[in-house]
Amino acid sequence: MNPLLKNIMLSHGGGGLESQELIHELILKHFSNPILNRLEDAAVINTKSKLAFTTDSFTVSPIFFNGGDIGKLSIAGTVNDLSMMGARPLYLSASFIIEEGFLLSDLEKIIISMKAELDKSGAQIVTGDTKVVPKHAVDKIFINTSGIGEVVYDGLSSKNLNTGDVIIVSGTVGDHGACILAQREGIKLETSLESDCQSLWQLVKCLIDSGIKISAMRDPTRGGLAAVLNEWAAASKVEIEIIETAIPIKPEVFGICELLGLDAVTFASEGRMVIAVNIEDTQRTLEILKTHPLGRDASIIGSVKSKSGLGQLPHPQVILKSDYGTSRLMELPSGELLPRIC
Amino acid sequence: MNPLLKNIMLSHGGGGLESQELIHELILKHFSNPILNRLEDAAVINTKSKLAFTTDSFTVSPIFFNGGDIGKLSIAGTVNDLSMMGARPLYLSASFIIEEGFLLSDLEKIIISMKAELDKSGAQIVTGDTKVVPKHAVDKIFINTSGIGEVVYDGLSSKNLNTGDVIIVSGTVGDHGACILAQREGIKLETSLESDCQSLWQLVKCLIDSGIKISAMRDPTRGGLAAVLNEWAAASKVEIEIIETAIPIKPEVFGICELLGLDAVTFASEGRMVIAVNIEDTQRTLEILKTHPLGRDASIIGSVKSKSGLGQLPHPQVILKSDYGTSRLMELPSGELLPRIC
């Protein structure tokens, strides 16, 4: 590529010469692997297993933030979606929509960050697409990643929660949301709060390999912990009881919430998971999580209280218990949450 | 959903209540199938075959055009990418990035159009994502579709062209590009030129079922016929000779080219394919194409002249021959082509 070129041009997305240069000198430079290198219209994959397939578009603003960037996020997000289904992330697609004038050096930073994140799970980008649109048709850059994984732990589902299941989170919640919000609003923090953005596959693999019985796993992204728990309660027709003070929340995150009148349990995390496990496996699960760098701050936060049967139907709801014995509903978030958080 | 709501709100992409309403009352309403309906983080697919996997983001402007819209295009584009690899389209993802304030009725039109196009190949949307971004962060709506197909004709590749192979196009070229351009520039046409946007799987299936020997197939989207032929020549290290007057171009498309000083062979088609077949199968291929509604205007446009061997190396290039015996290069398009054509 002409070394004097520093900005993305419309022609980089035009399908001609400059598109080829961009693919060869930037995309293949970092993502090179035998499948992608074929540069055909679609990647051909040999497989004989049960697969998981997911997609996510990333529109986060700002695109560079404490603890990550849109590139890292776009890989971790899709890797985590596959992991939550008990699937080993194998093949990812990457599709970029870039604003004319975007800095190539910034694009390279993002791509390097994607590659580093891919290496953490061993997944590969095997197919892709790049569109460049005129100024103001998109704000800087959006990235879609779709992913295929091999299901190694079958049967995970929001519908699988049972009475007695214990609810565990793998770490502090809301760090990503609070970090993005703080940077966007220009809130200065004494400690430098970082996004929790990270790929969870290695941690999930440890849980799967241990043989524990998992009912469901979910990464609490948009809508946060509150959305995951409410979706689970509704899908499994159960009541979930959460101990308010057991939810691990960083003081900085709590501070931002106080400042803005928002609730951390509705903030997105991008490197945490919520797990529902059989009560007998509680201690084992906690031990595995806490001894892994990705799960150091894991905590038991509650349990599943009742399951709908032939008799009395429980309200599928999430109850938040305070230390003083009072209880209130943890509601499914609604209204305008945080746009462009992921 | 509240029947008074007509516009997409930020909360429709927020992961909470309104997101669920949007999914249940709009997405599932039209795309309903057992896999998607599970609403898990990733779709789980049972398979034992060789798969193709592709991705494409659609940013076309205007989003509604003669002969289609961004929804139809987003399905046809990905179905065609799979088809060009000899893969039966099976599972698609759909990821929407929508501007706050976008009309829900327009979104429904787009989704209905996607569903109609899906039915033409039998493919299904099995996973998805919706982001809503504030005004001006995106121009109206972008759609990413990724797709998985089962490879039923193995070994297709840009590298497979052989001396003597015949080059056939399945119909007139550049209709889509000319149509979008005309609408964008406000060019009034006497006849109403339509985009060729359509799914090619049924046509490809006929070719595959017939047992003919196909070297390569490609849909000439961005960069048009000129990009496909140049990529093939380079990948297969061959010279391709094209008879200029044999290229089927609609008079309206030719007229728009004349008016704007552009070349129809660089215009995108979204429902055509270029095929390189063994010379012995030429008549059979043409017959199959011409008897199918998707290939009525199929034409032989040229052939592969020489293949690089141990001896003399041919220039991997595309030669355009005129009726008067003169010849010139058909070059790989470069510079600013048409942004937001797909």
Side-chain angles (χ1 to χ4, degrees):
Chain A
M1 213 168 332
N2 186 330
L4 294 174
L5 285 177
K6 286 200 178 135
N7 297 81
I8 279 284
M9 298 179 304
L10 286 174
S11 58
H12 280 130
L17 185 67
E18 293 85 351
S19 296
Q20 289 196 357
E21 285 179 348
L22 186 73
I23 289 167
H24 283 274
E25 295 179 39
L26 201 51
I27 309 282
L28 290 189
K29 180 176 160 193
H30 295 288
F31 290 150
S32 176
N33 65 61
I35 300 177
L36 181 62
N37 296 354
R38 285 180 208 144
L39 291 178
E40 300 285 356
D41 273 343
V44 175
I45 297 157
N46 277 305
T47 177
K48 292 196 172 185
S49 50
K50 182 177 270 202
L51 300 177
F53 173 37
T54 187
T55 191
D56 220 334
S57 286
F58 297 87
T59 64
V60 68
S61 172
I63 54 173
F64 296 100
F65 48 82
N66 281 343
D69 58 49
I70 192 172
K72 181 181 184 185
L73 184 63
S74 73
I75 301 302
T78 287
V79 159
N80 291 347
D81 277 351
L82 295 172
S83 304
M84 293 307 103
M85 293 302 294
R88 174 197 310 277
L90 293 174
Y91 304 110
L92 265 62
S93 64
S95 177
F96 301 91
I97 304 173
I98 315 171
E99 188 176 21
E100 180 186 17
F102 191 80
L103 280 173
L104 279 170
S105 54
D106 279 349
L107 182 58
E108 188 158 25
K109 261 191 228 168
I110 289 166
I111 287 177
I112 288 169
S113 165
M114 290 171 78
K115 172 63 175 149
E117 199 59 26
L118 282 164
D119 290 344
K120 292 180 192 163
S121 64
Q124 294 181 313
I125 302 281
V126 296
T127 186
D129 176 47
T130 305
K131 296 287 191 304
V132 179
V133 297
K135 274 205 180 290
H136 310 303
V138 73
D139 183 22
K140 299 185 186 71
I141 185 170
F142 292 165
I143 302 174
N144 174 282
T145 54
S146 299
I148 295 176
E150 182 193 3
V151 177
V152 292
Y153 187 100
D154 207 359
L156 290 168
S157 166
S158 312
K159 294 188 183 67
N160 282 356
L161 272 71
N162 293 298
T163 306
D165 276 357
V166 169
I167 309 292
I168 299 174
V169 291
S170 68
T172 55
V173 303
D175 298 19
H176 177 76
C179 163
I180 296 294
L181 201 59
Q183 278 194 246
R184 216 186 280 166
E185 304 288 325
I187 299 169
K188 297 271 176 251
L189 298 168
E190 289 195 11
T191 61
S192 57
L193 177 65
E194 284 198 349
S195 160
D196 50 59
C197 172
Q198 59 189 351
S199 294
L200 292 168
W201 169 246
Q202 293 303 335
L203 183 58
V204 170
K205 188 176 178 303
C206 290
L207 290 175
I208 291 172
D209 290 349
S210 75
I212 61 165
K213 188 166 167 353
I214 309 166
S215 298
M217 292 192 282
R218 187 66 75 90
D219 53 336
T221 58
R222 284 180 292 169
L225 183 63
V228 171
L229 295 176
N230 274 282
E231 283 173 30
W232 281 1
S236 293
K237 300 191 179 66
V238 295
E239 184 175 299
I240 297 174
E241 189 179 281
I242 299 295
I243 310 301
E244 192 163 13
T245 51
I247 304 171
I249 300 173
K250 286 197 173 133
E252 303 95 303
V253 173
F254 201 79
I256 290 168
C257 289
E258 292 270 285
L259 203 63
L260 301 171
L262 297 167
D263 195 344
V265 298
T266 66
F267 279 16
S269 300
E270 291 290 342
R272 308 291 184 226
M273 58 180 168
V274 195
I275 316 157
V277 287
N278 193 292
I279 191 164
E280 288 160 24
D281 289 323
T282 311
Q283 286 314 314
R284 184 98 183 281
T285 305
L286 210 58
E287 210 176 280
I288 293 164
L289 291 171
K290 280 178 164 296
T291 53
H292 197 285
L294 297 175
R296 269 193 316 256
D297 300 322
S299 307
I300 298 172
I301 59 165
S303 59
V304 177
K305 284 301 170 198
S306 45
K307 175 94 183 173
S308 127
L310 287 172
Q312 176 195 357
L313 285 172
H315 261 302
Q317 62 189 7
V318 184
I319 302 289
L320 205 55
K321 286 228 158 192
S322 78
D323 271 0
Y324 314 106
T326 59
S327 58
R328 57 189 174 94
L329 280 182
M330 183 194 276
E331 286 179 290
L332 180 65
S334 74
E336 187 179 308
L337 299 172
L338 304 170
R340 303 189 65 189
I341 208 77
C342 60
Chain B
M1 215 168 336
N2 185 330
L4 294 174
L5 286 176
K6 286 200 180 138
N7 297 82
I8 279 283
M9 300 178 302
L10 288 173
S11 58
H12 280 131
L17 184 68
E18 293 85 349
S19 295
Q20 289 195 358
E21 285 179 348
L22 186 73
I23 290 168
H24 282 275
E25 294 180 39
L26 201 52
I27 309 283
L28 291 189
K29 178 176 161 192
H30 295 289
F31 289 151
S32 177
N33 66 62
I35 300 177
L36 182 62
N37 295 355
R38 286 180 207 145
L39 291 179
E40 300 284 355
D41 273 341
V44 174
I45 298 158
N46 277 304
T47 177
K48 291 197 173 184
S49 50
K50 182 177 270 202
L51 299 177
F53 173 37
T54 187
T55 191
D56 220 335
S57 285
F58 298 86
T59 64
V60 67
S61 174
I63 54 173
F64 296 99
F65 48 82
N66 281 343
D69 58 50
I70 191 171
K72 181 181 185 185
L73 185 63
S74 73
I75 300 302
T78 288
V79 158
N80 290 348
D81 277 352
L82 294 172
S83 303
M84 294 306 105
M85 293 303 294
R88 174 198 311 276
L90 293 175
Y91 304 110
L92 265 62
S93 65
S95 178
F96 301 90
I97 304 174
I98 315 170
E99 189 178 21
E100 180 185 19
F102 191 80
L103 280 174
L104 279 170
S105 54
D106 279 349
L107 182 58
E108 186 157 26
K109 262 192 227 167
I110 289 167
I111 287 177
I112 288 169
S113 166
M114 291 171 78
K115 172 63 176 149
E117 199 60 26
L118 282 165
D119 289 345
K120 292 180 191 164
S121 64
Q124 293 181 312
I125 303 281
V126 295
T127 186
D129 176 48
T130 306
K131 297 286 192 302
V132 179
V133 298
K135 276 208 178 288
H136 310 303
V138 73
D139 183 21
K140 297 183 187 73
I141 185 170
F142 292 166
I143 302 174
N144 174 282
T145 53
S146 298
I148 296 176
E150 181 192 4
V151 177
V152 292
Y153 188 98
D154 207 0
L156 290 168
S157 166
S158 312
K159 295 189 182 68
N160 281 358
L161 271 71
N162 294 297
T163 307
D165 276 356
V166 169
I167 309 291
I168 299 174
V169 291
S170 67
T172 55
V173 303
D175 298 19
H176 177 75
C179 164
I180 296 294
L181 201 59
Q183 277 194 248
R184 217 186 281 164
E185 305 287 323
I187 299 167
K188 297 270 176 252
L189 297 168
E190 290 196 12
T191 61
S192 58
L193 177 64
E194 283 199 351
S195 161
D196 50 59
C197 173
Q198 59 189 352
S199 294
L200 293 168
W201 169 246
Q202 293 303 335
L203 184 57
V204 169
K205 188 178 178 304
C206 290
L207 290 175
I208 290 172
D209 290 349
S210 75
I212 61 164
K213 188 166 166 354
I214 309 164
S215 298
M217 292 192 284
R218 187 67 75 92
D219 54 336
T221 58
R222 283 179 293 170
L225 183 64
V228 170
L229 295 175
N230 275 283
E231 282 172 31
W232 280 1
S236 292
K237 298 190 180 66
V238 294
E239 184 175 300
I240 297 174
E241 191 179 281
I242 299 295
I243 309 302
E244 191 164 13
T245 51
I247 304 171
I249 299 174
K250 287 200 171 127
E252 303 95 302
V253 175
F254 201 79
I256 289 168
C257 290
E258 292 268 285
L259 203 64
L260 301 171
L262 296 167
D263 195 345
V265 297
T266 67
F267 279 16
S269 300
E270 293 289 343
R272 308 292 185 225
M273 59 180 168
V274 196
I275 316 156
V277 287
N278 193 292
I279 191 164
E280 289 161 23
D281 290 321
T282 311
Q283 285 315 313
R284 186 98 182 283
T285 305
L286 210 57
E287 209 175 280
I288 294 164
L289 291 171
K290 280 178 165 295
T291 53
H292 197 285
L294 298 174
R296 268 193 317 256
D297 300 322
S299 307
I300 298 172
I301 60 166
S303 60
V304 177
K305 282 303 168 199
S306 44
K307 174 96 182 170
S308 129
L310 287 172
Q312 176 194 358
L313 286 172
H315 262 302
Q317 61 190 8
V318 185
I319 303 288
L320 204 55
K321 287 227 157 194
S322 78
D323 271 0
Y324 314 107
T326 59
S327 58
R328 57 187 174 92
L329 280 183
M330 183 194 279
E331 285 179 289
L332 180 66
S334 73
E336 187 179 310
L337 299 171
L338 305 170
R340 304 191 63 189
I341 208 76
C342 62

